[in-house]
Amino acid sequence: MDYYVLTLFPEMIEACMKTSITGRAINNGYITMNAVNIRDYAANKHRHVDDYPYGGGAGMVMQAEPVYLACEDIKKKTKKNPRIIYMTPQGRVFDQSMAKELAKEEELVFLCGHYEGIDERAIELEVTDCISIGDYVLTGGELAALVVMDAVSRMVPGVLSNEESGKSESFENSLLEYPQYKRPEEFMGRRVPEILLSGHHANIEKWRREQSLARTAEMRPDLFKKAELDKKDIEYLKNNIKNLQL
Ligand code: 6GU
């Protein structure tokens, strides 16, 4: 996976991506990271990239030209016509299924806006996808692009080791993950649930499934709309969770 990020703060993108698992993936050649400063495409000598909006109103708007020129330049460097993703609270809300889809691409370009947004004409000319990471407003698209790249990277084959890529993680089949325990057997007076020490694999599987169902019911009942539940799941929920609408 080759990432390109158009931003006014390339050092922010680089510092984050070089850290931890994404950093290891870069060093091992599974992903590449190219952070491009939009300011390098400003025509004026002060390298300004923002201006007051036509029609008045609060804040500044990023000009079309430097954004357009930066996108055109990146398209010359990429192998194919890559998806150019504008990070904006007006975009489609990012989720795990989108992370899996985007991980199939060879190259992704992220466009990060600042101020009150980007001149609409640059967006019309260059952008293929708009993504939001949730219903709140950030000061810029950088943190959002980092969130998306992190989630996409761990879906790229080779990025996670076998131990890291557990199949039963949250959002697999739209349920939250069950609780995990490691040594010691007792910590601050709290024991590991006895069933996990029993060695009885079928019972352990059943307990974990029920924990997933109970957690999802408590924290994210909206996820049940997408989850695949079997008869036993529904029976468990009926008997154990009050007032649950499925
Ligand atoms: Cl993608 N950008 C900004 N600025 N704020 C956001 C967002 C993106 N997603 C949620 N809030």
Side-chain angles (χ1 to χ4, degrees), residues 86-89 113 131-141 144-145:
Y86 178 38
M87 301 310 303
T88 167
I131 295 182
S132 163
I133 61 162
D135 293 341
Y136 41 83
V137 181
L138 304 169
T139 56

Side-chain angles (χ1 to χ4, degrees), residues 52-65:
Y52 296 97
Y54 277 115
M60 305 285 272
V61 172
M62 273 168 84
Q63 291 159 344
E65 186 182 72

Side-chain angles (χ1 to χ4, degrees), residues 220-232:
R220 293 294 306 279
D222 58 296
L223 292 178
F224 284 130
K225 276 185 230 131
K226 281 195 271 172
E228 284 170 41
L229 302 178
D230 64 17
K231 273 190 194 146
K232 279 188 199 157

Side-chain angles (χ1 to χ4, degrees), residues 13 74 126 173 197 234:
I13 300 289
I74 278 189
E126 298 290 353
N173 183 29
L197 309 174
I234 292 164

Side-chain angles (χ1 to χ4, degrees), residues 51-119:
D51 210 339
Y52 296 97
Y54 277 115
M60 305 285 272
V61 172
M62 273 168 84
Q63 291 159 344
E65 186 182 72
V67 171
Y68 172 80
L69 291 175
C71 289
E72 288 298 308
D73 207 25
I74 278 189
K75 284 196 276 189
K76 284 184 209 140
K77 290 177 191 151
T78 55
K79 290 174 227 133
K80 299 188 187 136
N81 238 8
R83 284 164 83 164
I84 301 184
I85 301 168
Y86 178 38
M87 301 310 303
T88 167
Q90 297 171 46
R92 195 165 144 216
V93 178
F94 186 63
D95 66 11
Q96 189 63 28
S97 68
M98 288 163 78
K100 282 187 192 166
E101 275 306 307
L102 292 174
K104 294 177 190 161
E105 302 285 331
E106 275 180 58
E107 302 161 313
L108 288 173
V109 180
F110 293 91
L111 172 59
C112 303
H114 255 265
Y115 317 115
E116 291 299 305
I118 297 179
D119 187 308

